[in-house]
Amino acid sequence: MHQRTTFFLLAAGVMACLAGTPGNAQARPATDSSHLVATPKHADRASMETMQIPSHGALMNALVYVAAGAGPHPAAILLHGFPGNERNLDLAQDMRRAGWDVLYFNYRGSWGTPGDFSFSHGIEDTAAALAYLRQPDVARKLRLDPTRIVLIGHSMGGFMTVQGAAADPAIKAFATISAADMGGTMQQMLAEGQKPDALHKMSAGLANEGMAPLSGCTPDGLARELAEHTATWTFSSKVGALKNRNALIVTSDDGLAKAGESFAANLRNAGDTHVTTVHLPTDHAYSDQRIELSHAVLQWLAALPK
């Protein structure tokens, strides 16, 4: 008799849970029948927003980590490399916890975003992302301050960062993480040998980085594009435009440190007194220095003028 009573009590408890008690109903967020996952209702909580950003006839896949609080929050655009296997989204999460909105997007022709990938398109796409965040309705929805946007780029994303910041005086601060000076590297290859050899060397290097996530391009075509723009795409050619900005230059043991250090030195020699350099003993993806990399970025962001 005791066992039967216990069974019925347990069964009644299970049925009550399935039916939902008033307490459980209060704990569950209200569901929206148009979405598979419910969104808890809280006006100023941290969140993730997804969108597609228009750029020259294509829609770029993008997301924003929105910081908690009413804001308006400063914002960072996180630019990925070539082809973009390391997305650095752990940095985005850390920056959001520090009160920053963070936009991540895929350039045209990369990682499922429609269109053709090229370096020229990536530069245009970075400008399109900036224009998107500055739209009043977008800034309002994301609770961000459109006058306080920084660019942060890893590897080729560092190249996009330098090009984007140099073209946009409203960007008061930028950071590069193992930046690849694509124009400077091509320029050096051309100076060391014949143009066909330089193009072949650059093409082989790009192919070795992995082209599978990129569409509408070839290693040879990208190498020729770099050769056509060496006069305007080197980091040294952007020093004059960037000498009054706050800059963070992070390098590692990946072979790109010399170029990064030279860029920092050129900025300082041009009169920039707000250049911070950090070197971490790790690989190109900062595989075993993620916490240290995050600390360097957050410390720099915290010191920027409000």
Side-chain angles (χ1 to χ4, degrees):
M1 182 67 179
H2 175 70
Q3 290 178 339
R4 182 177 296 177
T5 301
T6 301
F7 171 80
F8 282 119
L9 288 173
L10 289 171
V14 170
M15 293 302 291
C17 288
L18 292 174
T21 63
N24 285 336
Q26 292 175 0
R28 290 194 190 102
T31 58
D32 181 341
S33 61
S34 66
H35 295 278
L36 295 177
V37 180
T39 301
K41 303 301 180 184
H42 189 300
D44 296 337
R45 72 185 308 147
S47 65
M48 178 194 287
E49 298 286 343
T50 60
M51 68 284 293
Q52 290 184 301
I53 298 175
S55 180
H56 300 80
L59 294 174
M60 302 188 297
N61 299 325
L63 57 85
V64 174
Y65 290 93
V66 182
H73 308 292
I77 297 180
L78 193 58
L79 298 162
H80 72 73
F82 184 97
N85 294 308
E86 177 53 70
R87 293 163 175 79
N88 292 294
L89 293 181
D90 56 332
L91 299 185
Q93 295 275 12
D94 291 347
M95 286 188 279
R96 175 170 64 177
R97 279 191 291 272
W100 288 72
D101 280 9
V102 184
L103 167 66
Y104 172 90
F105 71 92
N106 295 118
Y107 316 104
R108 278 177 287 166
S110 71
W111 299 94
T113 288
D116 296 334
F117 177 81
S118 72
F119 299 117
S120 298
H121 285 178
I123 294 170
E124 293 173 349
D125 295 341
T126 301
L130 281 163
Y132 177 81
L133 288 187
R134 288 168 175 159
Q135 294 180 48
D137 57 332
V138 172
R140 187 163 47 250
K141 178 181 179 181
L142 300 175
R143 307 195 300 274
L144 65 82
D145 183 349
T147 68
R148 296 182 62 201
I149 301 176
V150 305
L151 297 178
I152 302 176
H154 173 237
S155 192
M156 182 200 69
F159 168 78
M160 298 301 175
T161 291
V162 171
Q163 303 302 315
D168 192 334
I171 300 299
K172 303 302 183 186
F174 67 92
T176 63
I177 302 168
S178 282
D181 183 355
M182 307 300 296
T185 300
M186 187 73 248
Q187 187 180 67
Q188 182 177 351
M189 289 181 179
L190 289 168
E192 292 174 349
Q194 298 297 315
K195 184 174 181 179
D197 295 334
L199 290 173
H200 177 74
K201 186 176 180 181
M202 175 59 76
S203 176
L206 293 171
N208 287 336
E209 292 300 318
M211 299 285 292
L214 308 178
S215 63
C217 62
T218 65
D220 288 347
L222 293 175
R224 287 194 298 272
E225 182 187 21
L226 287 172
E228 292 168 0
H229 291 87
T230 52
T232 55
W233 281 1
T234 63
F235 284 8
S236 60
S237 69
K238 304 302 179 185
V239 169
L242 296 172
K243 64 183 180 181
N244 296 317
R245 319 290 180 90
N246 282 273
L248 170 65
I249 312 295
V250 184
T251 57
S252 70
D253 297 334
D254 57 4
L256 298 176
K258 184 177 180 181
E261 292 163 358
S262 176
F263 181 43
N266 287 340
L267 287 170
R268 288 173 175 141
N269 290 337
D272 195 338
T273 59
H274 301 288
V275 180
T276 301
T277 54
V278 175
H279 182 83
L280 297 175
T282 186
D283 63 4
H284 188 59
Y286 293 73
S287 299
D288 57 0
Q289 296 278 301
R290 300 304 302 181
I291 293 175
E292 292 81 359
L293 175 60
S294 177
H295 176 75
V297 172
L298 293 180
Q299 188 174 47
W300 176 72
L301 289 173
L304 292 177
K306 298 297 187 286

